[in-house]
Amino acid sequence: MSNLISNLGCIGTQFRDKGHLAVIDLYDPEHPREIDYPTYNANCDAVARGLLNRGLSAGDRVGVYCSNRLEFLEVFFGAMRVGVVPVMMGILQPADTIAWIVQDTGLKMVFCEAALQQNLPQGTLAVIVDADGEDGLSAFKDFGAVEYFQPEYDSTAFVAYTSGSTGRPKGALLSHRAHSWVARTISQERFFCPDDTMIVAAPLYHKHAMNSIKCVLYGGSTVVLLRKFDARIYVDAINRYKATVVSGVPTIFAMILQQRELLAGNDYSFVRLATMGGAPASDQLIDSVAELFPNAQINLIFGITETSAALFGRHPENLPRPRHSVGYPVKGNEFRLVGGEDENFGVLHVRGPGMMSGYLNNPQEMARRFDEDGWFNTGDILRRDEHGWYFFVGRSDDMFTSSGHNIYPAEVELVLERHEDIEQAAVVPAPHEIKHTVPYAFVVMRAGSGMTEEDVKAHVLRNAPPYQHPRRVMFINALPMTTVGKVDRRFLEAEARRIQKEEDARKESA
């Protein structure tokens, strides 16, 4: 058990003698791969031995550059077992960003899929995870016993790149100590055990999916791993594998609920937990998820790469969580809300045991986000009620002003999604010569709805302050999503500016 706590790569080794499934790999849904805990652990050890055989040692870095698949997990956790630091690389990043990451981190080699190798800088040593030749992962592995690395207090476990304000992503240094605590805390908060099966469809290079994997391995559970999110494959996996835990951003749950034919007539009483993160969820969405999964506890979750997802959880006295709360502070964390009208509203600043050690080669960003006392500015706006429960309001960089009023898009979106004919909505700013900016709404209507733009505006005017009502409403078939499943607000903002510019041009020519 000491290895489990001190070395993040060793999570799951306590089940190496248990024969139940660790991973069901649906990279190819027609040909699932089912891997038990003994096989999974043997493969991780074989990767670790392969790294040592090629002269790598603790502190060296390797890239993990592939889609969701078993091999991602084997390399990621196997490398950490001998202190080699895996660097997670987004598969949809442009080639110049990939080249910059290779240089920024000083990678010794990159484990990648054959189709992605062309994006690597010339001369990069690559191990192909989906090839059987001399440069493939199968040939790289060396099966046998291995001595696990014993981390020091802040030994880096892995590096995760998160979006940067200057156009370049930031490399967060995440330690064995911090993320062993994170894995243990989240798994215990959500009661993961060997009877659980969880579906993971978000990209593994993103914090949400990797936190889920750590919970699964800590609890000895089974993960059903999808190459990427596909609503039909996701629902089919729930049905086929009787998943007890489902998770995703609210947009993903909305897309699951649209699979009415696949869902119809099935009993989902076996689902015990549904977690939603990344954005607020409307009452209508929560009610629909609760109706679909009648025995599931529905938790809104909150976390960011730099501070982990082990910030909020259950009340210590097991008091019921308010519907829209992201939870009660997990013991060991410190919080303060800055810049609001009082101490119960503002931008969340955090100190806690799950914090990153710093940004790689980026002292400017460190100085911008950390103060001299070690408080980290998350950039997220939260509020706290009189009982100590926290509620997510929005990103500070998503907030915009209109005639001096602060508008938080998430608040307007919740109002919009309370309408029975609106499935999803996104609100973004559009330029205005007098008011500076005004809200524009992009709306996905329910099938068969006949609502108009004026109907939408009237609904918001009835249920929110006048300055929040959208000045334009665009009906679309689906909201655009980023690679990690969140609404692509930057794309919609550009679209709003384009629409406003066209309107201004028409007025000038009239």
Side-chain angles (χ1 to χ4, degrees), residues 217-502:
L217 295 175
Y218 191 94
S221 312
T222 302
V223 60
V224 179
L225 191 59
L226 275 61
R227 180 183 181 186
K228 62 181 180 179
F229 175 74
D230 180 290
R232 293 185 64 83
I233 296 174
Y234 197 108
V235 173
D236 181 68
I238 297 174
N239 294 332
R240 187 188 313 179
Y241 298 108
K242 298 294 185 285
T244 60
V245 182
V246 293
S247 184
V249 296
T251 302
I252 282 178
F253 278 97
M255 295 170 72
I256 289 170
L257 290 166
Q258 291 171 1
Q259 302 300 311
R260 295 175 179 84
E261 291 184 7
L262 287 177
L263 295 169
N266 291 308
D267 176 13
Y268 294 106
S269 59
F270 51 82
V271 178
R272 70 166 185 85
L273 178 63
T275 64
M276 298 185 203
S282 68
D283 285 319
Q284 188 167 315
L285 179 62
I286 293 174
D287 286 342
S288 296
V289 173
E291 182 179 357
L292 180 64
F293 305 127
N295 291 337
Q297 179 179 341
I298 300 173
N299 284 354
L300 301 185
I301 57 176
F302 173 88
I304 63 174
T305 301
E306 293 90 339
T307 63
S308 86
L311 299 177
F312 303 104
R314 293 175 287 129
H315 193 280
E317 299 175 4
N318 288 322
L319 298 180
R321 180 189 298 205
R323 163 166 272 200
H324 291 288
S325 173
V326 296
Y328 195 87
V330 168
K331 185 177 180 180
N333 291 304
E334 299 177 81
F335 303 114
R336 64 186 186 190
L337 299 175
V338 177
E341 59 266 23
D342 58 37
E343 70 276 7
N344 293 313
F345 185 92
V347 176
L348 179 68
H349 289 219
V350 176
R351 290 192 303 197
M355 297 282 290
M356 71 172 184
S357 303
Y359 289 119
L360 178 67
N361 302 329
N362 199 336
Q364 297 84 1
E365 194 69 11
M366 283 290 294
R368 189 178 78 85
R369 299 295 290 272
F370 280 94
D371 71 11
E372 60 186 12
D373 295 321
W375 287 93
F376 179 79
N377 178 353
T378 68
D380 290 302
I381 300 170
L382 279 77
R383 66 177 176 86
R384 178 176 53 221
D385 73 9
E386 65 273 20
H387 303 294
W389 294 100
Y390 281 73
F391 299 78
F392 178 78
V393 176
R395 285 286 303 169
S396 58
D397 50 9
D398 287 339
M399 186 200 78
F400 59 94
T401 59
S402 184
S403 294
H405 297 287
N406 291 342
I407 296 180
Y408 302 97
E411 291 185 333
V412 188
E413 289 158 9
L414 286 175
V415 171
L416 286 163
E417 290 173 358
R418 289 189 192 119
H419 194 289
E420 61 181 9
D421 282 345
I422 296 177
E423 287 197 334
Q424 295 173 271
V427 173
V428 297
H432 192 277
E433 60 180 346
I434 296 175
K435 299 177 183 292
H436 178 55
T437 56
V438 292
Y440 275 30
F442 293 83
V443 170
V444 179
M445 289 193 302
R446 295 197 178 279
S449 171
M451 71 185 314
T452 66
E453 181 174 7
E454 293 307 314
D455 293 335
V456 175
K457 293 179 180 180
H459 167 71
V460 178
L461 286 168
R462 287 194 301 270
N463 294 281
Y467 60 84
Q468 288 189 352
H469 92 274
R471 303 319 194 265
R472 284 294 313 273
V473 178
M474 278 64 67
F475 296 106
I476 56 179
N477 293 327
L479 295 179
M481 297 173 68
T482 67
T483 59
V484 296
K486 295 183 180 181
V487 174
D488 191 341
R489 293 185 180 277
R490 303 292 87 85
F491 175 85
L492 293 178
E493 286 178 16
E495 188 68 6
R497 289 193 297 269
R498 182 189 65 78
I499 293 169
Q500 180 60 44
K501 187 176 181 179
E502 288 181 354

Side-chain angles (χ1 to χ4, degrees), residues 1 45 63 71 74 109 145 249 251 286 303 343 401 504:
M1 187 62 73
D45 286 351
E71 291 81 6
E74 293 173 349
M109 63 179 62
V249 296
T251 302
I286 293 174
E343 70 276 7
T401 59
D504 291 342

